[in-house]
Amino acid sequence: MSTNHDTPAAERRRDPAEEARTLVASMTVAHLATVSGDGEPWCSLVSYGPTADGDPVLLLSSQTEEGRHLVQQPRASLAIHDPSAPGDPLDRPRITLAGRAVRPEGEQAEQALHAHASAIPGAMLYAAWEEFSVWVLEVGEVRCVGSLFQTDTISRDVYRASEPDPTAPVAVKMAEHLNKSPDGLLVVARELAGARGAVSAVCTGIDRYGIDLACTGAGQSAAARVLFGEPLRSASELRPATAELISRAQSAGD
Amino acid sequence: MSTNHDTPAAERRRDPAEEARTLVASMTVAHLATVSGDGEPWCSLVSYGPTADGDPVLLLSSQTEEGRHLVQQPRASLAIHDPSAPGDPLDRPRITLAGRAVRPEGEQAEQALHAHASAIPGAMLYAAWEEFSVWVLEVGEVRCVGSLFQTDTISRDVYRASEPDPTAPVAVKMAEHLNKSPDGLLVVARELAGARGAVSAVCTGIDRYGIDLACTGAGQSAAARVLFGEPLRSASELRPATAELISRAQSAGD
């Protein structure tokens, strides 16, 4: 099976900062590390929702260790991964956000609570209780670890300037959908990914830039990638963009 | 449907320390909180295997934040939950272990590495690399949080004196097995759990002390619990013990 190698642009994919923003936007559960006034670390399961800048918003009870700690010592660290991802947990992409937790006031507190409750709707049941406080973890540094990320350190500015992949919430379902009628993918693999000898193609991933395919043919298998016409700006663009890819491939094959 | 209420002994089940030891023995992935020399907390995903006393053994690289931190500041905290448990993550039983991390030497290091590798077989691939060190988290205090646990604090002595439920590794599969032939469970519910009017019974949980049933009948549903003759001491006792329960129920019904 021949593979077309003069398409380096097809390698364009999310960079570590986009991966981090996408992971933060995709999850709602994380682990928080705080420190007591006398320096004892404490690790706890928390839920969060991110602000538009990617700062996680927590809603913590003053009856918990973490809630007490942050009052005395605002430095905090939040670890996030996707526990549903396949494979060895230690091989999965994961991030640690390090920063300072602040209690917003006034309108900022409203906005922060809204960010939290958008991800955790049930939070509105107890958000008004006196013992609960909204905390915003102002991200200072991001460490990305894992097979996909390797290890990258991202500054606050780069993290904030990036954005989550808008297609992430629907990408897995779209890949499943595409794999149900694989003829279209096979034409894409043959005509647009240069895998002319492919006899089968399976979609293994989708992001705002393109789709990843696993192609097989002549007893060999190869990964291939095809880019959308331009990076997608919303989840609703994903379906027409994949239809366009297949249509473009079919035209090329005629 | 009548339920027999004069069997308080049937309520015997794992106490919080046993739940904690069982959770620690059942999982292999946790989140670790450490503190840098100048007091910055850091949260990271780690794998572990427990010693016979329930102290988690970690294998950390000196290239990681957590590996560097523990050299300077041995205080650490480990949070564990079962991400595959159903329902809202924040409603799931979970624990935080707080203590000090020590680097064992000589024979103790061998034993600790064995404890880690028993849970994480792949660890032997890199355990000998110079950058990796074995750390034992000597548990000082255990906090149990969650719907099942409520919030309990367990001392080091109570934690160490408890033991994991030996039936835990096979309990889910055994419940599935029992639910495939529910006639036996229905007889158990009727004859041993006092649920005489039950028309169906489903096993919802198994531990070393007994089994939990959800019984329905006459448009009502009720939870019931039946104890084994005595607490089980190994996973291999589970199958004969459940067979004995069913046989005992059938004799009682004759």
Side-chain angles (χ1 to χ4, degrees):
Chain A
M1 184 169 56
S2 72
T3 306
N4 184 348
H5 283 294
D6 18 17
T7 53
E11 285 311 306
R12 180 166 182 198
R13 50 178 75 246
R14 298 194 296 240
D15 66 21
E18 286 179 288
E19 289 288 359
R21 289 295 301 266
T22 302
L23 186 61
V24 169
S26 303
M27 298 291 115
T28 59
V29 172
H31 280 83
L32 177 70
T34 58
V35 188
S36 72
D38 64 350
E40 290 280 353
W42 189 258
C43 193
S44 52
L45 185 76
V46 295
S47 59
Y48 74 92
T51 65
D53 290 329
D55 286 341
V57 180
L58 315 175
L59 188 58
L60 301 179
S61 161
S62 60
Q63 306 298 307
T64 61
E65 240 76 9
E66 54 274 23
R68 281 191 290 268
H69 286 180
L70 290 182
V71 173
Q72 296 193 292
Q73 170 51 271
R75 294 193 279 191
S77 173
L78 197 70
I80 304 173
H81 76 298
D82 178 359
S84 72
D88 183 329
L90 295 187
D91 284 338
R92 286 177 205 152
R94 58 193 186 273
I95 61 172
T96 294
L97 310 172
R100 296 175 74 84
V102 299
R103 287 175 67 168
E105 295 190 353
E107 194 184 332
Q108 288 187 314
E110 293 295 319
Q111 288 173 355
L113 178 59
H114 178 76
H116 181 87
S118 296
I120 315 289
M124 292 313 288
L125 293 175
Y126 47 86
W129 297 1
E130 199 178 346
E131 73 177 80
F132 282 91
S133 296
V134 169
W135 292 90
V136 177
L137 178 60
E138 293 184 345
V139 173
E141 191 180 89
V142 180
R143 185 72 43 85
C144 304
V145 184
S147 52
L148 177 58
F149 296 124
Q150 309 304 323
T151 299
D152 288 291
T153 301
I154 304 166
S155 72
R156 170 175 179 76
D157 290 345
V158 170
Y159 177 78
R160 288 172 70 98
S162 293
E163 60 178 34
D165 187 333
T167 65
V170 297
V172 169
K173 282 223 176 297
M174 189 66 200
E176 287 168 2
H177 173 75
L178 289 173
N179 286 330
K180 279 183 193 153
S181 41
D183 288 355
L185 292 179
L186 183 56
V187 180
V188 169
R190 286 175 172 166
E191 302 298 333
L192 303 183
R196 298 225 156 255
V199 296
S200 79
V202 173
C203 176
T204 56
I206 298 183
D207 55 59
R208 70 188 310 181
Y209 300 108
I211 69 176
D212 289 306
L213 299 170
C215 309
T216 55
Q220 292 182 293
S221 66
R225 182 166 170 83
V226 181
L227 293 191
F228 298 125
E230 54 187 55
L232 308 184
R233 290 157 301 174
S234 72
S236 62
E237 290 181 2
L238 185 52
R239 188 173 285 264
T242 52
E244 190 276 328
L245 268 192
I246 292 170
S247 158
R248 181 164 26 122
Q250 285 165 338
S251 302
D254 286 343
Chain B
M1 181 169 61
S2 71
T3 305
N4 184 347
H5 284 293
D6 22 17
T7 52
E11 285 310 306
R12 180 167 182 197
R13 51 177 75 246
R14 299 195 295 240
D15 65 22
E18 286 179 288
E19 289 287 0
R21 288 296 302 265
T22 301
L23 186 60
V24 170
S26 303
M27 298 292 115
T28 59
V29 172
H31 280 83
L32 177 70
T34 58
V35 188
S36 72
D38 64 351
E40 290 280 353
W42 188 259
C43 193
S44 52
L45 185 76
V46 295
S47 60
Y48 73 91
T51 66
D53 290 330
D55 286 340
V57 180
L58 314 175
L59 188 58
L60 301 180
S61 160
S62 60
Q63 305 299 306
T64 61
E65 241 74 12
E66 55 273 24
R68 281 190 291 266
H69 286 181
L70 290 182
V71 172
Q72 296 192 293
Q73 171 51 271
R75 295 194 279 191
S77 172
L78 197 71
I80 304 173
H81 77 298
D82 178 358
S84 72
D88 183 330
L90 294 187
D91 283 340
R92 284 176 206 153
R94 58 193 186 273
I95 60 172
T96 294
L97 310 171
R100 295 175 74 84
V102 299
R103 287 177 65 168
E105 294 190 354
E107 195 182 333
Q108 289 187 314
E110 292 294 320
Q111 288 172 354
L113 178 58
H114 179 74
H116 182 87
S118 296
I120 314 290
M124 293 313 287
L125 293 175
Y126 48 84
W129 297 3
E130 198 177 346
E131 72 176 81
F132 282 93
S133 296
V134 170
W135 293 90
V136 177
L137 178 61
E138 293 184 344
V139 173
E141 192 179 87
V142 180
R143 185 73 42 87
C144 304
V145 184
S147 53
L148 178 58
F149 296 123
Q150 309 305 324
T151 299
D152 288 291
T153 301
I154 304 166
S155 71
R156 171 174 179 79
D157 291 345
V158 169
Y159 177 79
R160 288 172 69 98
S162 292
E163 60 179 34
D165 186 334
T167 66
V170 297
V172 170
K173 280 220 175 298
M174 190 67 198
E176 288 170 1
H177 173 75
L178 290 173
N179 286 331
K180 279 184 192 152
S181 40
D183 289 355
L185 292 179
L186 184 56
V187 181
V188 169
R190 286 175 171 168
E191 302 297 333
L192 303 183
R196 296 227 156 254
V199 295
S200 78
V202 173
C203 176
T204 56
I206 298 182
D207 55 59
R208 72 188 308 182
Y209 300 109
I211 68 176
D212 289 305
L213 299 170
C215 309
T216 55
Q220 292 183 290
S221 66
R225 184 167 168 83
V226 181
L227 292 190
F228 298 125
E230 55 186 54
L232 309 184
R233 289 158 302 175
S234 72
S236 62
E237 290 181 1
L238 185 52
R239 187 174 284 265
T242 52
E244 190 276 328
L245 268 193
I246 293 169
S247 158
R248 182 162 27 118
Q250 285 165 338
S251 302
D254 286 344

